Amino acid sequence: MASVSALRTLSAPCHTARLRLARSSTLTISPTSSSASYLLLSHNNHNRPAVDGMRYLSTLPPRVGRRIAHQLMTKAPYSTAAEQPASGSGTKFVYNIAASYVGKGRPFNPSTHVFHFNPYHRVSKPGKKAKSARPESGQDAFFVSRVGNKPGEVALGVADGVGGWMDSGVDPADFSHAFCDYMAAAAYENDKQPTKIAAAAANGPQAPAGGDGNNSGNAPLTARSLMQKGYEAVCHDPTIKAGGSTAVVGLLDESGTMEVANLGDSGFVILRLNGVHTASEPQTHAFNTPFQLSVVPPSMLLRAATFGGGLLIDQPRDADVTRHKLKHGDVVIFGSDGLWDNLFNQDILRLVSSTMQKLGAWKGTDAGVQVAEDLTPFTKLDSDDKPIFTLQSFIATHIVSAAKSASMNAKLDGPFAKEVKKYYPQDAWHGGKEDDICVVVVLVSEEPADMAAPKPRL
């Protein structure tokens, strides 16, 4: 079967296929280093990390901690609010987004390993970038972009380069970073057609979208078709000779509808009022062998066709597509497997819930936990070019801090360790799994439609 698949792929325009490559060829555990000593984790009754937002602030230098707390409570003029409200609605949905990341084996600095999304900033056209210009996220990559000229609609995603390609002398980061750059550009330049994912949602949350993933003609942009656009661009990029990555891509429109296409073991979770509302399921062919998009050199395809081998093909059409109706106060988290291999969903929920309640975004009442009516004091970007701190960026760096610490803990078993025991009960694996970690956080707020629109800042 592998030979037939390989021969079939040779006729494809860009010779794309997927190799059955594990994420790493060796399993190693590194003890917690002193460089991570600033990460304070408490433990609940289940011996899992539960990070307290105020305690985290106390670990930072006093001046920095006070500045973060002050800026979280300061309003400023930028948001992802659409210039026109949804038809027939008295409110509009606003997406406040930040990302955080850290490369494997590198110390994490929450003040620099962070990205603040501003929908009015331009997305540069993909090109041959120096590796030094990339975020320090290792083989993980991410993107966030407004869709076309509508700042109220947002596209975002995370791609995790497949480490097994290193055995063939290929840098997996080349594929994942270029892939995200192309998707960001495709979303930003999507001026002709609306996303229309809210209309598609009428067919049900599991309904397929975009056919085989192509977005030709006048077809509206979907999460799957955006993944297809980025993949085709990488396939035709002469600088990308080989490589592969997983991908999770989301589109969020001004009506509060989110569509997600997920391929592989990156994923997302929706947190709503102290609960895990929705969580994605990973796609894998075997243990530690996720679905992935790949560019495979013709010589490798021919060798597999001649001698056989574990050659499999995954395409954007294989991605799981789901649609979700978001609510005011939801926290949506997209992440690479460096997050999901080290923290359980309940760990992330406890961390986010603690932060949201400590800072007042979620409030305990006699009727239970409620969302603060106005989230703008926590979410708005600063109006100048100074470093900015928002609730969404605080949550993003907080999650990466916890995942980084858990990945270096050689004693406390995380999700990956439990999976190892499931498939290889004789294996002595304990602790976390060191890896690149990338997280994108979306804090959803619903605001009055008559709120003044911010001025573009190009």
Side-chain angles (χ1 to χ4, degrees), residues 134-221:
R134 297 173 179 169
E136 296 178 349
S137 55
Q139 297 168 5
D140 287 358
F142 71 94
F143 78 95
V144 187
S145 170
R146 78 185 194 198
V147 178
N149 58 4
K150 306 184 77 171
E153 296 191 356
V154 181
L156 57 87
V158 174
D160 184 358
V162 179
W165 279 100
M166 295 179 67
D167 296 336
S168 301
V170 174
D171 183 357
D174 292 343
F175 184 105
S176 58
H177 284 268
F179 180 41
C180 284
D181 287 345
Y182 282 119
M183 286 192 288
Y188 186 77
E189 295 168 0
N190 188 67
D191 292 328
K192 296 182 179 180
Q193 294 294 329
T195 57
K196 296 183 181 177
I197 60 175
N203 296 322
Q206 302 295 333
D212 62 357
N214 293 319
N215 189 42
S216 57
N218 294 322
L221 186 68

Side-chain angles (χ1 to χ4, degrees), residues 8 105 119 196 282 306 366 391:
R8 195 173 290 165
K196 296 183 181 177
T306 304
D366 294 339
L391 180 53

